[in-house]
């Protein structure tokens, strides 16, 4: 649950942990092993030497900043996000609220073209910048998913990546802007939850931000690990679908973003998702007599409908977990 102007609980603890940074220019078999270990231990890692050209990143950042610097009345012409377009504070349809404004776009070219008309004074340039960025990060996501499959010894090493290569994939692109907080009466800045605790329902998320902190991940209840910002890297986190497809071996890490800086923060997230009709089930390599299948088969459409009918912070994947009787009968 996210509450407007909510602050982190006093009982919460911050823990300093060195999170994995993986150099994609290294030896392939070693990279795949490091990625698998990071997904098992943290559900999260950073990649450097990722191959996404700085010009592509700079171009979409400029377009995004141009939009968020507009007067509120102009930005509102691109919203409300239903589900695509401009949103402010309201996150989804179930009452979740944060200290954030955002643009949510589908990765379908026709959808991008249509939405761009209400976002930019130069829709052609905005559409081009978004499309180039999405293609670059989708290619990166596919490469990372292939490395995961190789590290897991999955026979079909394109099994995961083919789901977001499919022409009907349901991937999304969201640009978040966390405005700098307003000074409190005692001149101490308040720390507010910009985007509340949640896991991502899709397969894989690729996130990058400007050089402003705020992202935190949670490996244990009440313990948060700050993620240091690095504009040269992409943050990668496992989504619910990938946790299901790896039979729980990978962790769909819970995370949040805080508006706690003297600077505004902007982040861009690519959510790689399968086609709506795609059946989500762990491949044979992930299921053994000692590790039976943990989740019931489902389609992405079924999971998406369930996920977006619940509050942001609820544990959605547990609803698809097999019961003890199911596991005993397997």
């Amino acid at each position: 649950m996210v509450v407007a102007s909510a602050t982190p609980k006093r009982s919460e603890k911050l823990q300093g942990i060195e999170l994995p940074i993986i150099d994609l220019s290294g030896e392939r078999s070693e990279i795949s092993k490091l990625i698998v270990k990071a997904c098992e231990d943290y559900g999260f890692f950073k990649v450097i030497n990722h191959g996404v050209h700085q010009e592509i990143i700079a171009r979409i950042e400029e377009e995004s900043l141009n939009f968020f610097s507009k007067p509120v009345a102009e930005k509102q012409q691109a919203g409300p996000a239903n589900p695509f377009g401009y949103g402010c504070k309201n996150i989804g349809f179930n009452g979740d609220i944060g200290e954030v404004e955002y643009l949510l776009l589908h990765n379908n070219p026709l959808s991008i073209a249509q939405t761009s008309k209400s976002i930019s004074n130069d829709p052609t340039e905005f559409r081009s910048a978004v499309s180039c960025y999405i293609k670059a990060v989708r290619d990166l996501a596919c490469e990372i998913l292939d490395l995961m499959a190789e590290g897991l010894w999955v026979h079909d090493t394109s099994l995961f990546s083919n789901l977001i290569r499919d022409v009907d994939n349901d991937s999304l692109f969201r640009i978040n802007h966390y405005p700098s907080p307003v000074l409190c009466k005692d001149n101490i800045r308040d720390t507010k939850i910009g985007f509340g605790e949640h896991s991502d329902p899709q397969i894989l998320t690729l996130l990058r931000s400007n050089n402003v902190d705020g992202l935190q991940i949670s490996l244990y209840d009440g313990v948060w690990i700050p993620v240091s910002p690095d504009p040269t890297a992409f943050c990668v986190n496992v989504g619910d679908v990938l946790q299901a497809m790896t039979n729980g071996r990978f962790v769909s890490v819970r995370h949040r973003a805080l508006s706690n800086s003297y600077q505004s923060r902007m982040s861009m997230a690519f959510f790689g998702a399968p086609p709506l009709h795609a059946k989500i089930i762990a491949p044979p390599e992930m299921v053994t007599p000692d590790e039976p299948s943990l989740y019931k088969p489902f389609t992405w459409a079924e999971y998406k409908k369930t996920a977006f009918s619940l509050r942001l912070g609820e544990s959605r994947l547990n609803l698809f977990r097999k019961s003890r009787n199911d596991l005993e009968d397997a």
Side-chain angles (χ1 to χ4, degrees), residues 27-185:
E27 198 274 321
R28 189 174 183 88
S29 62
E30 183 62 23
I31 294 170
S32 65
K33 292 176 185 176
L34 291 173
I35 288 176
V36 167
K37 181 170 177 53
C39 292
E40 291 175 335
D41 293 348
Y42 301 102
F44 176 95
F45 56 96
K46 293 180 182 180
V47 293
I48 57 175
N49 292 319
H50 43 69
V52 179
H53 294 300
Q54 182 58 38
E55 293 82 0
I56 293 174
I57 295 172
R59 189 179 176 200
I60 185 60
E61 285 185 337
E62 181 180 4
E63 288 294 321
S64 302
L65 289 171
N66 286 342
F67 174 79
F68 288 120
S69 64
K70 288 182 176 182
V72 172
E74 290 186 32
K75 288 186 287 190
Q76 289 176 337
Q77 293 177 15
N82 189 29
F84 306 118
Y86 174 71
C88 185
K89 293 187 179 292
N90 292 316
I91 304 169
F93 299 98
N94 300 301
D96 294 304
I97 299 174
E99 297 296 320
V100 62
E101 58 177 348
Y102 62 94
L103 286 171
L104 181 62
L105 306 169
H106 198 280
N107 84 147
N108 179 283
L110 291 177
S111 178
I112 294 172
Q114 184 62 37
T115 312
S116 297
K117 295 177 182 177
S118 60
I119 293 175
S120 175
N121 298 330
D122 188 347
T124 301
E125 174 60 21
F126 182 85
R127 181 186 69 224
S128 176
V130 169
S131 298
C132 288
Y133 183 84
I134 287 177
K135 181 184 184 305
V137 293
R138 184 172 58 230
D139 288 346
L140 174 58
C142 288
E143 176 66 8
I144 292 171
L145 288 168
D146 287 346
L147 287 162
M148 289 177 178
E150 292 173 24
L152 291 169
W153 295 94
V154 174
H155 177 71
D156 180 3
T157 57
S158 298
L159 178 69
F160 303 141
S161 63
N162 280 342
L163 291 171
I164 62 174
R165 285 192 179 101
D166 192 295
V167 67
D168 294 323
N169 77 86
D170 194 39
S171 302
L172 302 176
F173 177 51
R174 188 175 65 221
I175 309 166
N176 294 319
H177 181 241
Y178 304 92
S180 180
V182 178
L183 281 171
C184 299
K185 291 180 180 179

